[in-house]
């Protein structure tokens, strides 16, 4: 298997390594974490209660933010017919493709069209590489975006160093160590940033980061804004950030509260944190609390750090290649399904409220060429991704509002079809190509 698969798909490519390790481990030594069924049952119950408590808290916080914005609009003398706007930013997983997201945020802030300038986000969520970007996106200052840009510019192969010659043994926790990443997180997630995140939370602007509790097989949403109010939580916040980017098998899991946490993209590649019923209920309650003012303008922005669909490629008839390609396809369609669910949810909320809930997403175009490499973090590719992001961020037409069919959903306007990569099997095995639908 090429480590380039891990580079493109983040945790997804690591699933193949995980499966291989499971096979090898049949004759390996026992687990270093003996099972405790009773404790898992208790944790499951605690998790379910936490999810319910979080929903109530998130709903109350969003409602408070809407009321704050309505009060400000009234103080400024703006007409009640002018709705307040609530902007939600979802940052997806994607490994090194996070460079695209960073560049896009930069370009979005420099758009020449006033109606397209990057807003101050009221609600930010992130998983994996999106989690790395999320606190800087919430703060939203030029300096904060420049800092995350510098982090992605400095990432190289040292961030994914093989442990040793016996890295592949099934009882090892990962192929690579995360020492370099941990050092950079300690430097970037500093007291000044934590203070700014806490300030945003005081303004009822939320920051949620997702990890995966692999013991329970569930996504855990961490309210980093609430945690940021206590400076003593800085170490815990860093652990959450490290866990959200811990590609299974590639990087070691992170132990938090005696639970193993890995890449949030393992369970969900992007998330909102509120379901449709809660959003509808919240909007209706806002109307009762602020009578006479127009319903809020809800906008959902999804920044996909990568392509939605895989590039066409002739695949070798070998189990390793087939498994890697299949896992990549699985995760590709997982992202597509997530977008379709978000789009459909916005349509239902629009129906229920009688006012539009806007859905916008952007992704790396299918026409963007990604060279084959054995590196998890290719500096040249990341620089090109960042530049592409800046270019697209400045153009309002980059945003899409509907997830189309596979052939056109991720293509730039007027772009030619993406050619298949060179065949890895004899030409006699290649079936006739069917022209893509238009």
């Amino acid at each position: 298997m090429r480590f380039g698969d891990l580079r493109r798909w983040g945790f997804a490519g690591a699933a193949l390594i995980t499966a291989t390790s499971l096979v090898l481990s049949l004759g390996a030594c026992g687990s270093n974490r003996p099972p405790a069924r009773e404790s898992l049952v208790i944790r499951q119950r605690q998790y379910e209660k936490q999810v319910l408590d979080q929903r109530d808290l998130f709903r109350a916080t969003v409602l408070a933010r809407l009321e704050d914005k309505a009060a400000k609009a009234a103080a400024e003398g703006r007409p009640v017919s002018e709705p307040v706007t609530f902007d939600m930013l979802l940052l997806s997983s994607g490994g090194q493709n996070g460079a695209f997201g960073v560049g896009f945020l930069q370009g979005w802030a420099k758009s020449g069209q006033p109606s397209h300038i990057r807003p101050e986000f009221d609600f930010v969520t992130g998983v994996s590489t999106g989690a790395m970007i999320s606190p800087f996106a919430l703060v939203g200052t030029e300096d904060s975006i420049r800092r995350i840009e510098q982090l992605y510019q400095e990432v190289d192969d040292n961030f994914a160093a093989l442990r040793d010659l016996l890295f592949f043994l099934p009882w090892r926790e990962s192929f690579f160590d995360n020492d370099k990443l941990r050092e950079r997180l300690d430097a970037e997630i500093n007291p000044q940033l934590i203070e700014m995140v806490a300030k945003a939370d005081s303004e009822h602007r939320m920051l949620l980061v997702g990890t995966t509790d692999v013991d329970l097989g569930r996504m855990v949403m961490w309210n980093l804004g609430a945690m940021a109010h206590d400076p003593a939580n800085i170490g815990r916040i860093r652990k959450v950030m490290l866990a959200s980017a811990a590609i299974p098998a590639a990087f070691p899991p992170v132990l938090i509260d005696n639970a193993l946490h890995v890449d949030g993209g393992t369970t969900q590649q992007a998330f909102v944190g509120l379901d449709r019923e809660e959003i509808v209920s919240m909007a209706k309650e806002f109307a009762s609390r602020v009578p006479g003012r127009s319903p809020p303008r809800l906008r959902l922005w999804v920044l996909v750090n990568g392509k939605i669909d895989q590039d066409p490629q002739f695949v070798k008839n070998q189990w390793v290649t087939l498994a890697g390609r299949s896992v990549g396809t699985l995760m590709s369609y997982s992202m597509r399904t997530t977008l379709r669910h978000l789009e459909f949810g916005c349509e239902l909320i629009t129906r229920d409220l009688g006012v539009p809930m806007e859905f916008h997403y952007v992704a790396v175009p299918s026409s963007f060429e990604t060279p084959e490499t054995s590196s998890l973090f290719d500096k040249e590719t990341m620089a090109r991704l960042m530049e592409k992001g800046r270019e697209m961020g400045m153009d309002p037409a980059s945003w899409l509002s509907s997830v189309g069919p596979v052939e056109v959903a991720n293509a730039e306007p007027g772009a030619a079809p993406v050619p298949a990569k060179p065949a890895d099997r004899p030409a006699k095995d290649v079936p006739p190509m069917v022209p893509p639908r238009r």
Side-chain angles (χ1 to χ4, degrees):
M1 168 163 180
R2 295 188 301 270
F3 289 119
D5 293 331
L6 282 172
R7 172 184 53 78
R8 285 201 304 273
W9 293 104
F11 77 90
L16 173 61
I17 299 175
T18 306
T20 305
S21 297
L22 287 173
V23 173
L24 291 173
S25 65
L26 292 176
C29 58
S31 168
N32 60 358
R33 297 179 71 228
R37 180 64 185 172
E38 295 77 15
S39 65
L40 283 178
V41 171
I42 293 172
R43 280 175 50 192
Q44 178 90 19
R45 292 171 181 167
Q46 291 173 337
Y47 172 85
E48 292 168 356
K49 181 180 184 302
Q50 178 185 345
V51 169
L52 294 176
D53 292 343
Q54 282 183 326
R55 286 180 177 176
D56 293 339
L57 175 61
F58 297 168
R59 182 179 180 278
T61 304
V62 172
L63 189 57
R65 176 64 174 171
L66 286 171
E67 291 184 283
D68 291 346
K69 300 187 90 167
K72 181 180 179 182
E76 294 173 349
R78 288 153 54 188
V80 294
S81 59
E82 180 183 327
V84 297
T85 302
F86 190 86
D87 288 295
M88 295 171 276
L89 175 67
L90 278 56
L91 297 160
S92 84
S93 58
Q96 71 167 1
N97 292 309
F100 171 80
V102 172
F104 193 95
L105 290 172
Q106 289 178 319
W108 194 1
K110 298 176 181 178
S111 172
Q113 301 186 30
S115 61
H116 180 63
I117 294 296
R118 187 183 73 218
E120 179 182 70
F121 297 112
D122 304 294
F123 193 97
V124 177
T125 72
V127 293
S128 191
T129 195
M132 297 292 178
I133 302 170
S134 62
F136 302 93
L138 179 75
V139 172
T141 62
E142 185 175 346
D143 179 65
S144 69
I145 302 300
R146 184 167 54 246
R147 283 177 57 194
I148 191 64
E149 173 196 18
Q150 183 178 2
L151 172 61
Y152 276 80
Q153 287 177 334
E154 294 179 359
V155 168
D156 55 26
D157 282 346
N158 291 327
F159 279 69
L162 286 174
R163 290 183 171 277
D164 50 44
L165 293 177
L166 301 179
F167 66 89
F168 57 88
L169 293 176
W171 53 84
R172 306 297 295 273
E173 61 181 358
S174 65
F175 279 17
F176 307 104
D177 67 47
N178 60 3
D179 294 343
K180 186 72 172 179
L181 180 58
R182 181 186 290 109
E183 291 174 5
R184 284 311 310 269
L185 277 177
D186 288 349
E188 296 300 335
I189 310 299
N190 56 32
Q192 292 75 27
L193 178 66
I194 296 301
E195 183 179 346
M196 288 187 284
V197 170
K199 180 178 182 297
D201 188 74
S202 298
E203 300 168 352
H204 302 121
R205 297 170 55 221
M206 296 192 69
L207 173 61
L208 305 179
V209 162
T211 66
T212 298
D213 181 332
V214 289
D215 293 328
L216 298 181
R218 301 286 190 276
M219 170 175 273
V220 177
M221 293 181 290
W222 301 86
N223 188 348
L224 297 194
M227 295 168 63
H229 288 282
D230 184 355
N233 279 333
I234 188 169
R236 187 173 177 84
I237 291 173
R238 287 167 175 164
K239 289 184 73 173
V240 170
M241 299 285 285
L242 189 66
S244 188
I247 302 170
F251 293 113
V254 178
L255 191 66
I256 306 176
D257 299 333
N258 201 36
L260 287 180
H261 288 260
V262 297
D263 195 316
T266 307
T267 41
Q268 210 166 334
Q269 295 190 60
F271 72 98
V272 176
L274 290 168
D275 61 28
R276 177 174 64 90
E277 290 79 8
E278 290 165 334
I279 294 175
V280 170
S281 171
M282 175 191 63
K284 290 180 177 179
E285 186 169 346
F286 170 78
S288 67
R289 292 190 184 188
V290 191
R293 179 164 289 280
S294 294
R297 182 187 183 191
L298 305 176
R299 301 194 295 188
L300 185 65
W301 308 93
V302 187
L303 210 170
V304 179
N305 291 302
K307 298 180 180 181
I308 296 178
D309 302 308
Q310 294 205 89
D311 293 334
Q313 178 182 348
F314 293 113
V315 179
K316 289 182 179 179
N317 190 14
Q318 300 173 354
W319 78 264
V320 172
T321 308
L322 288 168
R325 180 67 171 179
S326 299
V327 169
T329 302
L330 173 68
M331 300 320 302
S332 170
Y333 270 81
S334 172
M335 186 71 248
R336 173 176 287 280
T337 300
T338 296
L339 290 173
R340 291 299 293 269
H341 284 171
L342 292 170
E343 179 186 1
F344 186 52
C346 288
E347 291 175 356
L348 291 177
I349 291 170
T350 295
R351 182 202 64 183
D352 294 341
L353 294 178
V355 293
M357 178 173 179
E358 300 177 23
F359 169 74
H360 309 277
Y361 80 94
V362 68
V364 176
S366 58
S367 57
F368 183 87
E369 294 186 6
T370 305
E372 289 295 331
T373 173
S374 61
S375 173
L376 269 174
F377 304 106
D378 184 84
K379 289 181 72 70
E380 181 180 348
T381 299
M382 293 176 72
R384 291 176 52 239
L385 282 164
M386 192 172 293
E387 184 56 36
K388 188 64 179 178
R390 291 193 193 99
E391 173 192 326
M392 292 180 63
M394 296 180 68
D395 183 5
S398 298
W399 290 105
L400 303 174
S401 57
S402 180
V403 186
V406 173
E407 294 86 352
V408 299
N410 201 25
E412 292 179 286
V418 180
K421 293 183 178 179
D424 286 330
R425 60 177 186 261
K428 64 179 181 179
D429 294 336
V430 180
M433 295 296 290
V434 178
R437 293 194 303 269
R438 288 289 181 261

